[in-house]
Amino acid sequence: MCGWIRRRCAVRDASAVLTLLVLCAVLTPLTGWAAPAAAAQPHDAQARYFAEQLRRSPVHISDQVPRTVPRSARPAFAAQAERTGVPTYVLVLPFSVAIDGKDLLSAVHDRLGRKGLYVLLEADGGGGWGDIEVMTYAVRVPADRAAGTAKDWLPDDATALDLFTRFVDGLRNGGDASGGGWKPGSLYTSPGAREVQSAVTGALTVVIPFLVLLLGVRSCPRHRGSRGWLWLPLLAAAALALIVPLGARAVFGDTRSTGDPAPTARDMRLRIERVATGLRESPVYVDAESVPALSPAQRRSLAERLHALDVPVRVVVLPLHYGDESYGRAEAFAERLHETLGQDGVYVVAHLGTFDRITVRLANHGAKLADTELHDLDAWVRFGPEAPDEGPALHRRLMALADHIADTPQGPPGRPDAARGLPDPVADDTVPPLLSGPFRSVVRAGAAGAGALCAAWGAVLGVRRARRGGRARAHARADAPTAPHTAWLRRTARRELALLHEDFVRLGGTGGDRVHGHVWDCLDAATLLLDQRGDQRVDADARDCDLATALVLIRAGQAVVRSAEQPRVLQRTARVCTLNPLHGPAGESRRLTPSAGARDRRQPVCTACAAALPGRAPDGRRDTEREVRLRLPGPDGTVAYTELPGPLGTAGSAGEIVVRDLIRDVKEQLGVHG
């Protein structure tokens, strides 16, 4: 330029030369000031800040993501960085700060001036990890391949620490971070997965014990002598009802839905304290980790304008997202900032969003301004220009906001509503216990369903028994107990006496007077034995032998009711089984070991006992092992019924129990004639 001036001076007069010299003197400082500014990189301020942090520690975790990657997790990242084998510098930043990762890493390296591996991990504000960027300077490691395979292998719920750990594993494995296995669907238990686990555990807790109990109960009647073992399936079902949920709780023992450590109270205060420290020096604070939205000159002019206002105003420019301490809510951030500073005033939060969008929010904490007029902001001030090519124009918007505050009339001190609904950072990542919620609901529903199924099953079995033999519950059964206890005798006699009375009333005149008379004789004799007081109840002091005798008469009457259409069976001289009179009518006879005083001859037995009795042994002697007689409670324990006093024992010891004679003997014993 100086040569050009000399040539021009040769052809122009002195006044023209003087004019050009003045212009050069004016333009040279301007061009010298503008050139460095134009050449400045957009990441210079960030790079200086992060380079200073990495000089203090090779791992820097932003204080803006405490919910997803708290700074207290730095030792875990540092331990992984040492495994790389080369100098490693790690930045863990929110997505809004690290949009241009490669450029930022390059700028940080230029400022730090150290060789090594530079890693940028983007902590997703919604949880987990966002991305990884790597650059190497004067070191040879397969960083790019390890980063790519780590991202491809990890599922969506992996954390930033999981991504960095897998990346380091890839570096040590020639760049392959997949580990040679299949990509997992998830690494941690989400709240939705825990609900499924709880529901399945509840279903198994009901179904497995119920099936064991059902199979056990069903198998007992099919095997002779197995009813005494009915407690086994009951015990097994009860044990399984405890083992299944406790075993499932041991298998599904996850308590958190993420692998990052839970943030501490200190983690949740770090950014608030950093901003509060900056506001004590100036009413305008711009986030040091983000690309500066205001130049130093703009900050100074804005601070001067705020100092001129009648009320204290503080402006904070920084990003907000779900991973920070305020859960992305500007009002909550302003409330916490006011609590930390302890100073009333208007707090303005300019939220740095993606794509250069900046939203302005304000909260009045104690300033004497009219609330309605204060919050009546122009849309341009609140949300910025609509056209993206106009730029954020944040300085002009904030200056306009200052003018708006200056024009706002006075009012009562502002008291904004307390921020509510902020999720607890620890509870938000804690999955509910396995044995709660859906587990309890399914168990209750399953228990009710099992009860309904049992009731339906019992109803079906009752219908089937009714179809087979009418009133089957009143019939004498061949499997009547051989040694019944007193409670069984009393309970069965009371129930079957009521049923026989219903049959007697139902018969009326049907079946002929002979049938009706037979049933009445049995019912009358049994009632005389059981209800000697006449109060329509079984006497509490009824003897066991009397209870058994009455039950034999009741079942003899039931046999008459069932055989009403077979006159040949309706003989008053019908006999009952000598081995166990509770079995009812005797349809066959067998030669048995005689009781004391009885003759050695064939004795009447029921069909079931006849089938169970063996034949003669090869030596011609009778096998008496199966000749088990009814045993009743006696003075010295249970004894054969034939050894007890009374009509039933006397007839049994004689070798034949005739119903007609038994009725007569009962009435004679009780002094009833006719």
Side-chain angles (χ1 to χ4, degrees):
M1 178 175 290
C2 293
W4 178 78
I5 292 175
R6 285 193 297 268
R7 289 193 298 271
R8 298 301 295 176
C9 289
V11 295
R12 294 187 181 272
D13 55 9
S15 60
V17 172
L18 181 61
T19 302
L20 290 175
L21 290 175
V22 172
L23 289 175
C24 288
V26 173
L27 292 176
T28 298
L30 292 178
T31 55
W33 175 83
Q41 297 293 328
H43 295 292
D44 277 354
Q46 284 181 293
R48 285 194 301 270
Y49 177 81
F50 291 131
E52 181 61 29
Q53 302 304 315
L54 293 179
R55 285 191 182 93
R56 300 174 183 174
S57 171
V59 176
H60 171 70
I61 299 178
S62 172
D63 57 9
Q64 308 201 63
V65 284
R67 292 179 181 269
T68 54
V69 188
R71 184 166 289 179
S72 56
R74 181 163 54 188
F77 284 88
Q80 294 301 323
E82 292 179 358
R83 295 176 56 224
T84 62
V86 297
T88 304
Y89 303 94
V90 182
L91 293 174
V92 184
L93 307 176
F95 171 76
S96 57
V97 174
I99 296 178
D100 300 323
K102 291 285 188 181
D103 295 339
L104 180 59
L105 287 178
S106 178
V108 170
H109 166 261
D110 293 341
R111 291 289 181 177
L112 188 60
R114 297 177 183 177
K115 68 177 182 178
L117 171 64
Y118 288 73
V119 181
L120 172 60
L121 292 164
E122 296 178 2
D124 186 4
W129 57 273
D131 199 357
I132 181 173
E133 296 289 352
V134 294
M135 295 191 74
T136 58
Y137 296 93
V139 294
R140 296 180 60 86
V141 289
D144 290 334
R145 183 167 183 264
T149 54
K151 289 189 293 185
D152 293 339
W153 187 83
L154 286 176
D156 293 338
D157 65 343
T159 65
L161 180 58
D162 293 327
L163 178 60
F164 186 50
T165 302
R166 180 56 56 180
F167 165 73
V168 175
D169 292 340
L171 290 180
R172 299 168 62 91
N173 193 35
D176 184 8
S178 65
W182 293 96
K183 178 179 179 179
S186 61
L187 295 181
Y188 305 101
T189 301
S190 65
R194 175 48 53 88
E195 291 183 0
V196 174
Q197 293 172 355
S198 297
V200 172
T201 302
L204 294 178
T205 301
V206 175
V207 171
I208 293 179
F210 178 73
L211 290 178
V212 170
L213 181 61
L214 180 63
L215 294 176
V217 172
R218 287 286 295 169
S219 63
C220 284
R222 295 173 181 244
H223 299 84
R224 294 182 60 84
S226 62
R227 291 196 174 191
W229 300 93
L230 185 60
W231 59 272
L232 285 178
L234 291 174
L235 183 60
L240 286 172
L242 294 176
I243 293 174
V244 171
L246 294 180
R249 188 171 64 178
V251 174
F252 304 117
D254 294 342
T255 58
R256 305 194 72 237
S257 60
T258 179
D260 284 324
T264 64
R266 175 63 177 166
D267 292 326
M268 302 296 288
R269 293 196 307 267
L270 285 175
R271 187 172 72 160
I272 292 290
E273 293 177 354
R274 170 164 66 92
V275 175
T277 301
L279 289 178
R280 291 188 180 99
E281 299 176 357
S282 171
V284 179
Y285 180 84
V286 178
D287 182 38
E289 292 190 347
S290 304
V291 176
L294 295 174
S295 67
Q298 290 174 336
R299 295 183 204 176
R300 287 192 297 270
S301 64
L302 179 60
E304 293 173 358
R305 181 69 181 93
L306 297 179
H307 280 305
L309 297 176
D310 296 333
V311 295
V313 179
R314 295 168 180 85
V315 176
V316 179
V317 183
L318 79 174
L320 297 174
H321 44 76
Y322 293 117
D324 64 26
E325 71 289 329
S326 62
Y327 203 62
R329 302 180 185 178
E331 294 78 7
F333 180 83
E335 178 181 328
R336 294 193 175 191
L337 188 59
H338 170 252
E339 293 174 355
T340 303
L341 278 174
Q343 300 175 3
D344 290 341
V346 178
Y347 287 80
V348 180
V349 180
H351 162 41
L352 299 175
T354 55
F355 307 109
D356 295 332
R357 302 298 298 182
I358 302 178
T359 304
V360 175
R361 295 284 188 270
L362 57 85
N364 183 7
H365 289 271
K368 296 181 179 181
L369 296 174
D371 187 72
T372 302
E373 289 81 356
L374 177 64
H375 288 86
D376 187 17
L377 287 177
D378 185 79
W380 174 78
V381 174
R382 189 182 298 274
F383 302 108
E386 296 182 0
D389 57 351
E390 294 182 13
L394 180 61
H395 180 260
R396 290 187 289 114
R397 292 164 58 190
L398 294 177
M399 294 295 284
L401 175 62
D403 295 338
H404 171 76
I405 295 174
D407 295 337
T408 301
Q410 289 189 348
R415 292 291 182 267
D417 295 335
R420 301 180 184 275
L422 293 182
D424 182 85
V426 177
D428 197 38
D429 291 333
T430 301
V431 293
L434 181 69
L435 306 183
S436 65
F439 170 81
R440 296 177 180 176
S441 301
V442 172
V443 168
R444 286 194 294 266
L453 182 60
C454 290
W457 184 26
V460 171
L461 292 179
V463 172
R464 292 177 62 183
R465 284 195 296 265
R467 289 180 177 178
R468 290 197 198 106
R471 306 177 64 82
R473 58 178 178 170
H475 299 169
R477 299 176 301 173
D479 61 344
T482 303
H485 49 77
T486 303
W488 186 91
L489 289 170
R490 182 180 302 279
R491 181 174 62 252
T492 307
R494 180 174 61 248
R495 182 179 67 251
E496 296 192 9
L497 178 65
L499 293 173
L500 182 60
H501 185 271
E502 294 177 6
D503 288 338
F504 176 75
V505 174
R506 178 176 55 82
L507 280 174
T510 62
D513 294 339
R514 187 179 180 186
V515 174
H516 199 262
H518 289 176
V519 176
W520 166 251
D521 289 340
C522 295
L523 180 62
D524 183 40
T527 304
L528 291 173
L529 281 172
L530 298 176
D531 185 16
Q532 296 184 24
R533 293 186 176 85
D535 55 1
Q536 307 301 317
R537 292 184 299 178
V538 177
D539 295 338
D541 58 351
R543 299 180 302 171
D544 295 317
C545 58
D546 292 338
L547 292 172
T549 303
L551 187 55
V552 170
L553 293 173
I554 292 171
R555 291 188 169 182
Q558 293 170 344
V560 173
V561 174
R562 293 195 302 272
S563 306
E565 297 180 357
Q566 303 178 29
R568 288 180 298 177
V569 182
L570 298 178
Q571 299 179 4
R572 195 166 180 125
T573 58
R575 301 173 299 175
V576 298
C577 180
T578 306
L579 282 179
N580 191 340
L582 297 179
H583 288 174
E588 301 186 30
S589 62
R590 291 289 186 274
R591 190 174 295 277
L592 306 175
T593 301
S595 302
R599 293 176 296 172
D600 185 6
R601 62 184 178 85
R602 299 177 70 86
Q603 298 181 25
V605 295
C606 65
T607 303
C609 288
L613 288 171
R616 289 184 177 275
D619 59 0
R621 294 176 299 175
R622 292 188 303 273
D623 184 359
T624 60
E625 293 181 0
R626 301 297 296 274
E627 299 176 13
V628 181
R629 295 183 181 273
L630 173 67
R631 301 180 64 85
L632 296 174
D636 301 322
T638 60
V639 297
Y641 79 97
T642 56
E643 300 179 14
L644 293 175
L648 182 62
T650 302
S653 62
E656 187 176 51
I657 303 175
V658 180
V659 176
R660 178 190 59 187
D661 298 337
L662 184 61
I663 294 174
R664 182 196 60 205
D665 294 343
V666 168
K667 291 185 177 182
E668 289 179 356
Q669 172 184 312
L670 298 175
V672 178
H673 302 283

